[in-house]
Amino acid sequence: MKELVAQLLDHAIRTLIEEGVLDRGIKNTIQVERTKDKTHGDFASNLALVLAKQARSNPRELAQKIVAALPASSSVKRTEIAGPGFINFFLNESSIHQVVSDILSLGNDFGKSRQGAGQKIQLEFVSANPTGPLHVGHGRGAAYGATYANLLEAIGYCVDREYYVNDAGRQMDILATSVWLRYLELCGETLAFPSNGYKGDYIVDYAKTLFAASGSQFRHDTQAVFAHIAADEPEGGDKEQHIDALIQRCKTLLGEHNYELVFQTGLKGILNDIKEDLAEFGVSYQHWFSERSLTTPENLVNRAVKKLEDAGYIEERDGALWFLSTRFGDDKDRVVIRENGQATYFASDIAYHLNKFERGYDQIINIWGADHHGYIARVKAALTAMGLDAEKLTIRLVQFVSLYRGNEQVQMSTRSGSFITLRELRNEVGDDAARFFYITRRCEQPMDFDLELATSQSKDNPVYYIQYAHARICSVARKAAEQNTPWNREQGLAAMSTLKEESEIRLMSLLASYPEVLLNAGLQGEPHLLTNYLRDLASEFHTWYNAHKTLVEDADLRNARLSLSIAVKQVLYNALHLLGVSAPESM
RNA sequence: GCGCCCGUAGCUCAACUGGAUAGAGCAACGGCCUUCUAAGCCGUAGGUUACAGGUUCGAGUCCUGUCGGGCGUGCCA
């Protein structure tokens, strides 16, 4: 309908150009908006305001000329010029009613579009290091990313969801060593656990798994493990040096094969936990991409560095290899290969993005925690340096979640093990409320999550309000069947003109705007537009429900109202489904 | 210091990316169940959009500066 109005305006402009009223070279980007205020009609355009300057005319006069040149349409009842020169369009009733019939025939597909035309988008999100369970910050990225992907699919894009598994690097060695030390404790050794190790209880669980599978075959006595190891922080030493020395000792005592076995016990344990957690949260992926796979069998990291080198953007300084990212606007140059010959995390990232680009996506979207924003400039610099189009890559930052219990902020740190996990949050507030709550705010807005408030069950969770509207409609439909006057769709659609109440017209108009809201939310990657819409729709429905009885004597009116109700139910369902929230039939 | 994200009602947030009188939900107050689910509805109250300039028909939105908050600024991941 919005397109129709735009077409009418476009036609009018062309007529005016032919008549010589407007210059041939005039730039006309036609904007049509749904009005906030129904006294302004159903749609409004600012076209005359935008063109007034180019046409050297005052906006209201120009608006009059445009209106005069508008072709007749069976959908438009009348037009009006208002305010500084807005053109308001009032639709006639039959075109307002039409949406109910459209929704009923399209069903689950109502609202979807082909805007994306099958373009391939890769969406990478969460990608938390597999060194511990997901916490509430990851939960926000998960809810946001999963919903964003759903929205893109709904508007015609082909989406690959991917999780980048950081299964290489020092943090993983710390994890493996932590598991081994806990395992030694289970074997009966007494030791001082390193202050920089992973202290969470889950580490002990994986140590138990290892002990159950392998007995004490990896046991070494404490003296041998800690002999000549640099002192830990509490003893006045450096905790980093202490843990690095322990890692080396662990590798030496276990040997390559056994070390890998301990390493895999920890990695698989955590990864399975993460996968299960996300699956239960309704978050699924097409690919789990291993960082280790970048180096074996083919070393893509070396190839990426070579590409940069061939392009002339690598320089050796102090024994390390530097990527000259300042040539592309970065603040400083960055090391890719360290003095000790090891690739940096950044080098892996370059290789990973090279790989993404080689897979032939039309667009690549990364959802990162806000703490990674310093990486945007350097990653884009690397892509440009390799001759790739960095514009294809969009990085969306998700700001942190601060947890509160009442007025007290909950401190979180992965290393110390004192954090709230996503699983704990899900168990406390439920998956529906968690999914919904996470995306009600723009992702670049920091979020305060008050557990006491969210766990207070009923009122404060907006999701119930919307689900309740859905359940109410189901209840009415059940009631209609019980009293032997089940919904008659044909009769209802034929009698739409009996729906004359103001709230009924508003409701239909709101239903008609759903495809536009979905399109906007998807293109802009802002799911909160959809949660706002759902609240509005539920509110408009509840208002109508309270004011006007659906199951009335008059069969025409009853079926028309039932048809409208079922259409509302369908749209509630469609939107909730995209958000990963259930639509209960009764509550 | 520099870079990024922000600053809107007492609180938590919107505002269709520059449109008409800045809107919701909590919290407060007053009404509505013999009636299809009261997890609901109706009404009242709440604002110099941090501040100062600028751009134009028109600014919460864009540009500059100031103030305030969060995050980042490793040969860590």
Side-chain angles (χ1 to χ4, degrees):
Chain A
M1 196 53 68
K2 197 170 178 176
E3 290 75 45
L4 174 80
V5 173
Q7 279 166 21
L8 294 175
L9 286 167
D10 186 53
H11 198 279
I13 293 299
R14 284 207 299 260
T15 304
L16 291 178
I17 289 174
E18 271 166 38
E19 287 172 358
V21 178
L22 292 174
D23 290 341
R24 209 153 274 279
I26 206 153
K27 279 177 67 187
N28 57 331
T29 45
I30 294 175
Q31 292 177 47
V32 176
E33 292 189 331
R34 264 176 203 281
T35 54
K36 289 179 205 162
D37 183 345
K38 285 301 160 195
T39 63
H40 296 146
D42 297 293
F43 291 95
S45 178
N46 59 358
L47 188 59
L49 293 162
V50 176
L51 291 184
K53 198 168 196 179
Q54 295 184 66
R56 292 175 302 278
S57 155
N58 103 34
R60 286 195 69 107
E61 274 174 32
L62 182 59
Q64 254 158 19
K65 289 177 187 164
I66 294 171
V67 167
L70 281 173
S73 164
S74 57
S75 302
V76 177
K77 188 160 66 182
R78 66 191 173 89
T79 57
E80 195 177 81
I81 295 162
F86 289 101
I87 303 171
N88 295 335
F89 292 81
F90 294 77
L91 301 182
N92 61 39
E93 280 167 15
S94 66
S95 55
I96 293 174
H97 298 152
Q98 183 59 35
V99 68
V100 173
S101 159
D102 290 348
I103 292 168
L104 296 180
S105 56
L106 287 170
N108 293 353
D109 288 332
F110 177 74
K112 294 182 182 173
S113 64
R114 302 293 312 152
Q115 173 80 22
Q119 275 194 57
K120 287 178 68 185
I121 295 186
Q122 195 227 28
L123 190 66
E124 184 214 324
F125 60 107
V126 185
S127 298
N129 288 349
T131 52
L134 298 176
H135 57 64
V136 293
H138 299 129
R140 186 177 186 185
Y144 174 70
T147 308
Y148 192 3
N150 290 345
L151 296 181
L152 287 170
E153 277 180 346
I155 60 171
Y157 290 93
C158 194
V159 183
D160 265 357
R161 301 155 176 84
E162 186 156 306
Y163 189 117
Y164 181 55
V165 183
N166 290 112
D167 52 7
R170 179 166 170 266
Q171 294 303 322
M172 293 306 297
D173 286 327
I174 296 178
L175 176 78
T177 302
S178 299
V179 170
W180 185 55
L181 292 173
R182 289 301 188 203
Y183 161 88
L184 292 178
E185 287 178 335
L186 290 175
C187 291
E189 297 291 335
T190 312
L191 51 85
F193 198 80
S195 53
N196 216 16
Y198 287 103
K199 293 173 183 162
D201 293 338
Y202 59 94
I203 298 293
V204 179
D205 293 338
Y206 303 136
K208 282 179 185 162
T209 306
L210 186 65
F211 187 71
S214 313
S216 53
Q217 70 175 107
F218 305 128
R219 180 173 183 173
H220 288 81
D221 69 58
T222 307
Q223 259 70 34
V225 174
F226 284 87
H228 312 298
I229 293 285
D232 199 0
E233 197 169 61
E235 283 74 50
D238 183 306
K239 61 179 179 179
E240 304 290 349
Q241 282 177 15
H242 179 70
I243 193 80
D244 281 337
L246 278 174
I247 290 168
Q248 284 315 314
R249 182 60 49 84
C250 177
K251 286 181 176 174
T252 310
L253 290 176
L254 287 175
E256 196 177 324
H257 178 79
N258 287 342
Y259 179 79
E260 180 66 15
L261 217 143
V262 172
F263 183 101
Q264 287 295 338
T265 302
L267 173 62
K268 280 184 184 157
I270 287 172
L271 213 48
N272 285 339
D273 178 69
I274 288 174
K275 286 181 179 178
E276 185 185 278
D277 200 11
L278 288 172
E280 285 169 8
F281 198 37
V283 178
S284 62
Y285 289 90
Q286 276 75 42
H287 305 296
W288 293 76
F289 192 99
S290 155
E291 182 183 356
R292 286 181 136 200
S293 76
L294 288 170
T295 50
T296 47
E298 188 210 354
N299 196 321
L300 193 57
V301 176
N302 287 347
R303 187 154 74 78
V305 173
K306 182 81 169 30
K307 251 186 119 120
L308 291 172
E309 199 166 9
D310 290 346
Y313 298 116
I314 294 285
E315 205 172 276
E316 192 183 331
R317 279 181 226 157
D318 309 323
L321 294 184
W322 296 69
F323 165 50
L324 306 181
S325 56
T326 47
R327 303 276 181 88
F328 303 93
D330 196 8
D331 295 337
K332 50 189 284 194
D333 295 333
R334 310 287 174 179
V335 172
V336 284
I337 305 292
R338 282 176 242 170
E339 200 178 353
N340 65 12
Q342 286 211 313
T344 59
Y345 171 83
F346 176 47
S348 292
D349 239 12
I350 296 172
Y352 178 44
H353 283 85
L354 174 60
N355 174 278
K356 286 188 184 192
F357 271 69
E358 287 177 341
R359 281 188 263 165
Y361 293 105
D362 295 296
Q363 274 187 71
I364 294 165
I365 302 172
N366 292 351
I367 294 165
W368 283 354
D371 55 334
H372 282 66
H373 75 248
Y375 279 78
I376 298 175
R378 71 188 74 163
V379 168
K380 291 203 167 199
L383 290 170
T384 308
M386 291 188 292
L388 300 167
D389 178 13
E391 290 292 304
K392 273 192 187 176
L393 173 68
T394 306
I395 295 169
R396 294 297 295 255
L397 297 176
V398 177
Q399 294 289 327
F400 283 147
V401 177
S402 305
L403 272 191
Y404 288 81
R405 286 196 186 277
N407 289 327
E408 197 182 335
Q409 185 163 6
V410 181
Q411 294 300 326
M412 288 187 287
S413 152
T414 309
R415 204 69 62 79
S416 67
S418 69
F419 52 88
I420 305 293
T421 63
L422 173 60
R423 187 172 271 116
E424 285 167 339
L425 179 79
R426 294 199 295 108
N427 289 341
E428 280 187 40
V429 311
D431 288 334
D432 282 346
R435 281 289 295 254
F436 191 90
F437 193 92
Y438 269 134
I439 57 161
T440 50
R441 281 145 186 75
R442 292 205 338 267
C443 66
E444 49 276 287
Q445 191 80 242
M447 187 163 108
D448 289 337
F449 202 126
D450 186 336
L451 285 167
E452 279 180 14
L453 208 72
T455 53
S456 69
Q457 275 289 323
S458 56
K459 282 182 287 204
D460 302 318
N461 284 320
V463 66
Y464 290 126
Y465 181 78
I466 295 154
Q467 290 179 320
Y468 184 55
H470 186 270
R472 252 185 167 177
I473 297 170
C474 293
S475 171
V476 173
R478 277 195 301 271
K479 193 84 177 181
E482 275 168 26
Q483 62 184 36
N484 283 322
T485 56
W487 175 44
N488 182 322
R489 175 172 160 176
E490 285 66 37
Q491 187 177 14
L493 290 178
M496 290 308 288
S497 60
T498 58
L499 301 183
K500 293 190 168 72
E501 301 294 340
E502 215 176 296
S503 52
E504 289 166 344
I505 303 299
R506 276 205 306 270
L507 207 42
M508 286 186 269
S509 171
L510 201 51
L511 288 173
S513 71
Y514 173 66
E516 294 152 27
V517 174
L518 177 53
L519 185 63
N520 266 331
L523 289 177
Q524 293 165 35
E526 296 190 339
H528 74 278
L529 295 175
L530 211 49
T531 61
N532 289 346
Y533 173 82
L534 275 171
R535 200 201 297 261
D536 287 347
L537 182 59
S539 167
E540 201 62 61
F541 170 75
H542 286 310
T543 297
W544 176 57
Y545 177 92
N546 272 279
H548 306 288
K549 193 167 172 164
T550 305
L551 302 180
V552 292
E553 289 291 320
D554 179 347
D556 277 347
L557 184 58
R558 182 180 65 243
N559 281 302
R561 285 187 172 160
L562 274 170
S563 298
L564 177 56
S565 298
I566 303 293
V568 171
K569 173 170 103 91
Q570 181 72 61
V571 173
L572 289 172
Y573 172 85
N574 289 2
L576 285 172
H577 186 69
L578 289 174
L579 304 183
V581 176
S582 68
E585 309 241 317
S586 65
M587 288 173 76

